[in-house]
Amino acid sequence: MCQVGEEDRYRYQQDGPASASKKCVKCKDASAALVIRAGDAYCRSCFNESFVHKFRAMLGKTRVIFPGEKVLLAVSGGPASCSMLRQVQEGVSQNAHKKLRFLPGIVYIDEGGVVGLSKEMRQKTAFELQELFTTTGFPFYILPLEQVLELPTSVVMPVQQQSEPVTGAYKAAVDHFLLHGRKNDVSPEEQENILPCDVNESQTCALQQLIGSAKTLTAREDLLNTLRHHLLVHTARSKGYSKLMLGDSCTRLAVKLLISISLGRGAQLAQDVGFSDSRYGDVISVRPMRDYSAKEIAFYSHMFNVPYVSVPSLHTKTQDKASIQRLTESFVTKLQTDFPSTVSTIYRTGEKLQTAGRSSSAAADGSRCLLCLCSLDTVTDVASALQATLISEQLSHTKIQGPESELSTAEEYCSIKGEGTCRGTGGGVVCCSSAKEVDTPDLRELMCYSCQLTIKDMSSIHHLPHYILSEAQRRHSRSLMREEIREFLLDADEDD
Amino acid sequence: MPALCSNCSEKRAMLKRPKTGHSLCKLCFFFAFEEEIHQTIVAAKLFKPGETVGIAASGGKDSTVLAYIMKLLNERYNYGLKLMLISVDEGITGYRDDSLETVKRNQQQYELPLKIVSYEELYGWSMDAIVKQVGLKNNCTFCGVFRRQALDRGAIMLRVDKICTGHNADDVAETVLMNVLRGDIARLRRCTAISTASEGDGVVPRCKPLKYAYEKEIVLYAYFKKLDYFSTECIYSPNAYRGYARTFLKDLESIRPSSIIDIIHSGENLSVREGVKMPVQGTCSRCGYISSQALCKACVLLEGLNRGLPKLGIGKHHRLHEKILSQQPLTENEEKKLKSGDF
Ligand SMILES: [Zn+2]
Ligand SMILES: [Zn+2]
Ligand SMILES: [Zn+2]
Ligand SMILES: [Zn+2]
Ligand SMILES: [Zn+2]
């Protein structure tokens, strides 16, 4: 369990009379190096052991990663993902019965272009990481975020989800592995580095334009998250990895949960912060570091010299109120100082939630968000926050007579009441903000509630990468086609 | 040149809507604000013709605007409702005087019947009398618990079918955040509901017609309509987390004004994993109010007051509930523990 609640009670034992007498509660032999909870002192090796145990327990309990499977570790250079890398590194080199039996690879995405780092700086970081990754012997990929501009449409076309693993599938896989596996134990040396010096200047420029077209830092960070994830998923997919391992700690996930709520992502919350996220179908994201608090990780990486590289992010050196993400982070951090159980409470709230049921499995692409690929949460009851917002917009600006819309919400309500007196709310209402940019299909209707907010904050959608715009175009023409042949379709609601 | 109203394009814009950012003239804002609430009421099917509806009136801005709008919409759209203002008087000298005066003025202005139910009437104890017995340190527990039930008890006494309260969008969003921070999954699931069905005899169905109205717009509406309200901040803050959630929400709103509605959208779309244990909602065997224990908190507190054992109900004394219910005498030791005035 996440022990963040007690983290303020972790204390390094200072040299002094008190620490000399303290023995480790686990081995009752070695002297304690840090204290977990009052009276629960651990020595170095017992702390290490419990840290390592937690990682394996998480993988064992969840049974999502199969033996022999290729797993891509997304390493950001920070202490959490670097500690995760260390766990995997030690796990695969263990002796037989304790050995982690999957085949790891590493991916690092260099976002220096977005933050405006110089080529030299980016180069330097890339070399540091290259050195770090080489020592692991795992295949690795160091990729600039600029690569996202070249992605194929397949990234945002949901792959038919593998049906939920049948009970016993995990055991079958283990048996199979024990019989036939083994031979692939040592993966062939493979690496792909597109070093910053190889990045085309014009691409960096295009990326900056794209991120810059988001007018708020909140939207910029959200967009960056989405793009980064697209590149991660694509890398995993194209290199044959079926799992993507993310280094989110329990502290990070608590912050993320609150960010998701604040950004209107309640419907996909469980996937955003859960152990596994299968919205990309054939590439499943997993978060094995979710039971460690940030402080626990900090202790670990400090005590056991886990190397990490600090990389500036979009909101480094910004004020608390620069963005929703930044605000939430500092809010949780401060609250955690006053109430040490804050993070673990929020985190446990997340554990009790699930992704809202609407067609979450085998959803057709028509009902998936164009950007984040969650099931669309925009089909809501007549009495809902979304409808209320639409009504407010309709009632607040001049109506332009557009093509007759089938169901004006306002008219519908009035007919329920049997009153015809709602002035000015009937007819096709064209929102002034969506009326511009006529040549591109209205992206908003292809997106979930929260991604729409991000797009609303953008001055132009023309800088979006080609793969996103062309997929939008494809979905748009599909729906036009469907409209045209509607009367011949027997089951008009079941799309694609 | 002053900006024109983005709705009628004729009159001068007088305000910028916090909710949408549009610049509107006074009349267009009034209409939009009222119409939105009407559409919420219709879409969520909050009322049935012929019902008697009690409007919880505190004299504050939310309930004043609610009373005004309910009266207006009931007439404009022929809801066919019998409306009445219900106010709770805790019996704290000085505290309620001004706000009750406001409610009394509202009664005349809106021509709505007003019923004031006092703690004295409902519980046999005024807050002043309670403070005398328990001291200032723990009176918050009492007034918080008593207030939660006062409306229900009052509504039953007055035989109303439904209560509507002035909870606005900010309140709902704040509650979502607070329940996440507290990890209260049961409340998190319930708190975005716009209405509650009757849950037992002691509870009257409630609804929040202002659920999607921004607090700032409520103030704008009251300001331009020159509605008479009394600004009271609740002097009791029984929950520290609410304060944190409120500050956080205000900061979020300053970054992205739609945050309030975005959080409600999140709350409406959360779904609880199957198999997560929810507290069993029982009812109080004495008064019928929802309670997870045999006796609800209010009844335990009352029992304590009446027996001169004020500590009962403040700590965890669930084991004693059975004894109280069956009217068994307490042991000397138990009495002693519950008596000591100094909490
Ligand atoms: Zn030890
Ligand atoms: Zn989305
Ligand atoms: Zn106007
Ligand atoms: Zn109080
Ligand atoms: Zn009771």
Side-chain angles (χ1 to χ4, degrees), chain A residues 218-285:
Chain A
T218 302
R220 241 173 259 171
E221 290 191 39
D222 193 54
L223 188 61
L224 178 61
N225 272 337
T226 307
L227 296 175
R228 181 197 305 119
H229 206 74
H230 287 170
L231 184 53
L232 287 174
V233 168
H234 173 73
T235 308
R237 191 176 280 154
S238 60
K239 310 287 180 197
Y241 291 86
S242 45
K243 294 279 155 42
L244 186 60
M245 218 181 233
L246 308 172
D248 296 306
S249 67
C250 153
T251 312
R252 178 69 206 138
L253 289 173
V255 172
K256 221 166 159 181
L257 185 145
L258 217 47
I259 291 175
S260 285
I261 296 244
S262 306
L263 293 180
R265 291 199 182 277
Q268 63 249 44
L269 201 68
Q271 290 190 317
D272 284 349
V273 301
F275 175 76
S276 70
D277 180 349
S278 53
R279 76 181 83 173
Y280 287 87
D282 58 343
V283 176
I284 295 176
S285 306

Side-chain angles (χ1 to χ4, degrees), chain B residues 66-77:
Chain B
L66 177 67
Y68 179 87
I69 295 250
M70 282 302 294
K71 160 101 173 162
L72 180 129
L73 293 177
N74 191 30
E75 281 164 12
R76 183 184 291 167
Y77 292 109

Side-chain angles (χ1 to χ4, degrees), chain B residues 5 8 25 28:
Chain B
C5 168
C8 63
C25 73
C28 287

Side-chain angles (χ1 to χ4, degrees), chain A residues 116-125 195-201 204:
Chain A
L117 283 190
S118 70
K119 256 196 178 152
E120 294 71 44
M121 283 292 287
R122 295 177 68 180
Q123 195 77 30
K124 189 172 155 281
T125 313
L195 291 171
C197 56
D198 303 330
V199 177
N200 195 326
E201 200 100 20
T204 305

Side-chain angles (χ1 to χ4, degrees), chain B residues 149 153 283-289 291 294-300:
Chain B
Q149 281 196 25
R153 292 194 177 208
T283 52
C284 171
S285 51
R286 187 166 290 179
C287 73
Y289 196 77
S291 167
L295 278 177
C296 75
K297 193 101 172 153
C299 288
V300 176

